[in-house]
Amino acid sequence: MPESNVFRIESDDLTISQILKDFYTVPDFQREYVWERDQVEKLLQDILDEFYNEKGEIIEGPEYFLGSIVACKDRSDNIFQLIDGQQRLTTIYLILCAARDALKQAGDEPTRVLLGQISDVYSDSRTGEDVERQRLTLQYQDSDGILEKIVTSGQSIDSLPETTRSVKRILAALRDIRDFYRINLQNDPSRIKRFLVAFTNRIKLIRILTPNIANALKVFETINDRGVGLNAMDLLKNLLFMKTDNKDYPKLKERWKRLIDTLDRCQEKPLRFLRYYIMAHHQIDHHRGIREDEIYQWFVNNSTACGIDTDPTGFADVLIGCAEAYAYFSESKNPKGVANRYLRNLSLLGGALRQHYILLLAGRNLAKPLFDKLCRAIENLLFCYIITREQSKTLERNFARWALGLKGIQDEKGLDAFLKENMIPEMTKRSSPFDFAFSELNQASIQQYRMRYILAKLTQFIEENAWGNPKFTELDGYMNSSVHVEHILPQQPEEDVLNGFDKPAEYHDYKLKLGNLTLLEKTINTSISNRGYAEKRPGYLQSSFLLTKSLVEKPHVGSDTQLNRAVQDLVQFGVWDSSSIEQRQKMLTNIARKTWDMPGSN
């Protein structure tokens, strides 16, 4: 490094491709990897929304800014020590590793560019020798060398032990990213490569380089304390102060702090909140939408309609009310802070889903029974969209288009008319794709947590209709660690079980089908293990889940009772072969139509 640059702080606007021309290490004093599924899925979903149209095709468009990283360069070995941004850069690195693995699994060779972004030859400044080195290494103890193991183990990550919390999170993130490639890109080599071109060349980060760690830590503190640059949120704040009398500055200052604190509580991006506020309350071009870089100008152009010109503090109060409702939504609660079963279900279906907040904001003033009914309809429609592979851009566009129709609704008749006009037709036209998706559903075609959600909903539907007891309304009881997903055909069969199946060559396909899956209490599941169906039947009879128990015996009480009606469509099986699995999958498809209120179901 030239002497003139020794004490300089440099800032560069770089693509991922440019960032990963260098080598990085996360020092041992840094905190561990803490991102959970929500953050990983949100990043992937944001990228998908930014780069793809509703047909799943990559579109030309603006670059996507992902934030900043802070590093200092060790002049003795030219390796960057990462002081801020390791969560982001680690996840980026995992996205590239997962792409490499997906390409290999599809029988294609990863490009030299991709491999070079994962690891490359590094010239050791002390020995002069060329050594193979990863672009990113983690030095903190909790990492337990996991990135090195991922790079060298390739496909076989399932065999890697989850030795620490950080390792567990990193492996979970990698599995979610692999699901992303499998479900959204079908592990198609050409689609993955096109995605990588956009991902590495259109996503940008600001890399701030400091001369030493002390400077880097100071920059990190400053960034997190004061923020970098002005975005639409900062500019909107300035606009409100410009429209406010000096004597009201203290009031506005207090309100703005309350707004920011509320958004921080739900860890939401302020710009997404502003976009959804606009979509929920004002007429926009639904086909085009509104981008984050257009938000401030929209407020300038519509300052009178929003009330900014005449009552800026009143407008701030409106934003605060929306933000507080928004924060409650993120906690699976209604706008008054009361737990809502359907919002909780939506968090289990996909924690990164946020588009429905547009409708929730628009309907936040509905009475509780009406708001509950709206939330149930949203859960059903969102699941219908997901299971039929609808693009997320369609969700956002439709919800923005419908939002204004919720304003002014005060009774059930009005809400029913709204649902009949907007949401029910969307489900009706997806009726056949819904049935087809369920008839083909297996563990390889959907994320595992969503398969658990599906099994939980089907099981709950039977219980709730059989007993009518409020204790069955909480989905968490079917998704906790005491409940296992049971493979009726065992996952790891003994030789006699495998050979006894009527289609042994297709055994591993059938074992993943929805029809072969059921929920079973952990204690029972442990006892029946990998046995054949005949030996498992007594265990299924002990289950408290009617959907599982009825594999062997249909529960029966009295004549034309609530229980009898609830289980009347459940089928029993004396043997477990391919036709049994297919028959049960068809049965579960019919139950699914009722569970998610598909039009035409009783």
Side-chain angles (χ1 to χ4, degrees):
M1 183 182 293
E3 191 65 30
S4 61
N5 290 338
V6 170
F7 300 107
R8 289 180 55 193
I9 294 177
E10 303 174 20
S11 175
D12 294 299
D13 184 12
L14 303 173
T15 63
I16 289 175
S17 182
Q18 292 167 326
I19 290 275
L20 291 178
K21 287 181 179 177
D22 295 306
F23 297 90
Y24 300 83
T25 183
V26 178
D28 56 8
F29 59 80
Q30 287 281 59
R31 70 172 180 164
E32 71 275 9
Y33 186 80
V34 297
W35 271 22
E36 302 282 358
R37 168 173 288 150
D38 283 5
Q39 289 103 322
V40 175
E41 282 200 346
K42 191 178 292 186
L43 171 62
L44 293 169
Q45 191 61 57
D46 286 350
I47 293 168
L48 207 63
D49 290 344
E50 192 70 28
F51 292 161
Y52 288 82
N53 63 18
E54 295 171 10
K55 298 179 181 178
E57 303 165 334
I58 287 185
I59 56 175
E60 296 297 323
E63 294 168 331
Y64 181 73
F65 176 61
L66 197 56
S68 63
I69 62 174
V70 179
C72 63
K73 193 170 185 179
D74 192 324
R75 285 175 304 197
S76 64
D77 59 12
N78 288 326
I79 292 175
F80 294 90
Q81 294 196 62
L82 199 59
I83 305 303
D84 185 32
Q86 77 117 327
Q87 311 292 326
R88 194 175 296 122
L89 199 58
T90 301
T91 307
I92 288 169
Y93 192 75
L94 293 174
I95 289 171
L96 297 175
C97 290
R100 177 204 64 175
D101 297 343
L103 290 170
K104 286 183 177 180
Q105 187 178 21
D108 201 347
E109 284 299 315
T111 63
R112 291 176 61 186
V113 171
L114 173 59
L115 294 176
Q117 290 164 344
I118 295 173
S119 59
D120 206 349
V121 172
Y122 168 78
S123 180
D124 192 308
S125 59
R126 288 166 294 221
T127 66
E129 296 289 334
D130 286 344
V131 294
E132 186 79 9
R133 184 183 177 96
Q134 291 178 212
R135 293 292 183 186
L136 178 65
T137 56
L138 309 178
Q139 292 186 331
Y140 52 86
Q141 186 176 1
D142 201 48
S143 69
D144 197 23
I146 185 60
L147 287 190
E148 291 88 340
K149 295 171 185 175
I150 288 172
V151 169
T152 55
S153 68
Q155 293 295 316
S156 56
I157 66 162
D158 291 333
S159 62
L160 297 177
E162 297 180 349
T163 52
T164 69
R165 287 180 303 174
S166 186
V167 169
K168 183 176 181 179
R169 291 189 188 105
I170 287 174
L171 289 176
L174 185 60
R175 293 187 186 101
D176 286 338
I177 295 165
R178 287 185 169 185
D179 279 347
F180 169 81
Y181 284 121
R182 176 171 51 81
I183 293 167
N184 293 287
L185 304 181
Q186 285 73 56
N187 278 345
D188 181 288
S190 62
R191 296 183 68 182
I192 292 172
K193 288 176 180 177
R194 287 195 296 272
F195 167 80
L196 287 174
V197 170
F199 179 71
T200 57
N201 292 296
R202 285 173 57 185
I203 293 180
K204 284 203 162 182
L205 299 99
I206 293 175
R207 185 177 69 183
I208 302 171
L209 285 184
T210 69
N212 54 51
I213 288 181
N215 288 127
L217 290 171
K218 183 62 179 175
V219 170
F220 167 66
E221 179 185 42
T222 303
I223 288 173
N224 284 274
D225 185 47
R226 303 175 195 167
V228 177
L230 291 174
N231 59 30
M233 202 72 177
D234 302 310
L235 294 169
L236 178 58
K237 176 184 176 183
N238 290 344
L239 177 63
L240 292 181
F241 272 95
M242 283 191 295
K243 302 286 186 178
T244 302
D245 291 336
N246 291 4
K247 62 181 177 59
D248 290 328
Y249 278 4
K251 277 193 225 175
L252 183 57
K253 182 179 178 182
E254 180 274 328
R255 282 168 169 77
W256 195 261
K257 182 181 184 304
R258 184 175 164 191
L259 173 65
I260 297 303
D261 288 347
T262 303
L263 292 175
D264 285 346
R265 186 180 103 208
C266 60
Q267 299 181 327
E268 182 51 274
K269 294 179 179 178
L271 298 190
R272 172 154 44 201
F273 165 72
L274 289 179
R275 284 183 67 241
Y276 286 0
Y277 163 79
I278 293 170
M279 292 178 183
H281 298 86
H282 298 278
Q283 189 74 47
I284 63 167
D285 182 343
H286 306 118
H287 292 286
R288 184 178 177 278
I290 181 168
R291 300 198 312 265
E292 288 184 354
D293 59 356
E294 299 172 331
I295 290 174
Y296 175 66
Q297 191 57 50
W298 186 92
F299 278 115
V300 171
N301 295 341
N302 295 274
S303 58
T304 301
C306 291
I308 294 174
D309 289 340
T310 56
D311 187 8
T313 53
F315 172 73
D317 285 334
V318 172
L319 283 185
I320 290 168
C322 288
E324 289 175 343
Y326 200 103
Y328 279 135
F329 300 156
S330 71
E331 298 167 357
S332 304
K333 297 175 181 177
N334 71 15
K336 303 296 184 184
V338 178
N340 182 287
R341 64 179 287 190
Y342 306 110
L343 295 184
R344 176 56 183 161
N345 292 353
L346 281 167
S347 72
L348 296 171
L349 172 60
L353 290 171
R354 291 289 185 275
Q355 296 93 332
H356 57 292
Y357 283 20
I358 299 168
L359 280 184
L360 296 178
L361 284 174
R364 72 186 188 281
N365 293 320
L366 290 170
K368 183 181 180 300
L370 301 184
F371 188 80
D372 288 347
K373 189 169 189 175
L374 173 66
C375 290
R376 174 172 178 155
I378 290 173
E379 181 194 355
N380 292 336
L381 179 60
L382 269 177
F383 178 74
C384 184
Y385 277 147
I386 288 171
I387 203 72
T388 58
R389 304 287 181 85
E390 187 60 75
Q391 294 293 317
S392 61
K393 284 184 182 292
T394 302
L395 277 63
E396 190 172 280
R397 183 191 67 204
N398 284 346
F399 292 163
R401 182 163 55 90
W402 301 336
L404 295 183
L406 278 172
K407 295 180 70 173
I409 290 179
Q410 297 179 346
D411 54 28
E412 189 167 19
K413 182 179 179 181
L415 181 60
D416 286 344
F418 169 83
L419 298 177
K420 185 176 181 180
E421 180 182 353
N422 299 297
M423 300 174 76
I424 292 175
E426 282 291 300
M427 296 185 71
T428 300
K429 71 182 182 182
R430 286 169 176 78
S431 181
S432 293
F434 182 95
D435 290 349
F436 178 78
F438 256 90
S439 69
E440 298 293 314
L441 190 61
N442 63 72
Q443 286 187 303
S445 63
I446 198 168
Q447 295 96 330
Q448 297 311 300
Y449 70 92
R450 283 183 172 155
M451 180 61 87
R452 282 203 57 127
Y453 162 87
I454 290 169
L455 289 169
K457 283 281 290 186
L458 294 172
T459 305
Q460 180 198 46
F461 176 79
I462 300 298
E463 307 283 319
E464 196 170 3
N465 279 278
W467 309 118
N469 191 319
K471 78 173 187 176
F472 298 110
T473 61
E474 301 301 325
L475 205 60
D476 293 76
Y478 301 90
M479 299 185 70
N480 61 42
S481 59
S482 68
V483 178
H484 284 185
V485 173
E486 155 72 352
H487 292 73
I488 304 170
L489 279 185
Q491 286 185 285
Q492 299 174 327
E494 300 291 341
E495 190 172 344
D496 61 325
V497 175
L498 178 61
N499 293 333
F501 188 60
D502 61 315
K503 295 182 179 179
E506 299 176 48
Y507 183 97
H508 294 289
D509 292 328
Y510 273 92
K511 77 178 183 183
L512 299 178
K513 288 180 176 291
L514 174 66
N516 188 56
L517 306 177
T518 195
L519 294 186
L520 188 62
E521 294 86 343
K522 178 182 178 180
T523 51
I524 302 174
N525 193 34
T526 303
S527 68
I528 63 178
S529 188
N530 291 321
R531 300 174 189 172
Y533 181 66
E535 295 176 89
K536 287 184 174 185
R537 283 165 56 92
Y540 295 154
L541 275 174
Q542 295 175 36
S543 177
S544 63
F545 301 137
L546 295 176
L547 189 59
T548 301
K549 184 191 291 284
S550 66
L551 281 162
V552 180
E553 177 182 280
K554 182 178 291 189
H556 183 84
V557 176
S559 176
D560 193 29
T561 60
Q562 183 174 339
L563 169 65
N564 293 351
R565 291 192 298 273
V567 301
Q568 63 183 352
D569 295 329
L570 303 185
V571 181
Q572 289 67 58
F573 301 92
V575 296
W576 197 251
D577 54 17
S578 61
S579 63
S580 301
I581 294 171
E582 290 164 2
Q583 183 181 2
R584 187 167 183 268
Q585 185 124 357
K586 184 176 180 180
M587 177 194 79
L588 293 178
T589 299
N590 291 331
I591 296 174
R593 293 189 62 85
K594 301 175 184 177
T595 302
W596 283 278
D597 295 339
M598 289 299 293
S601 305
N602 292 325

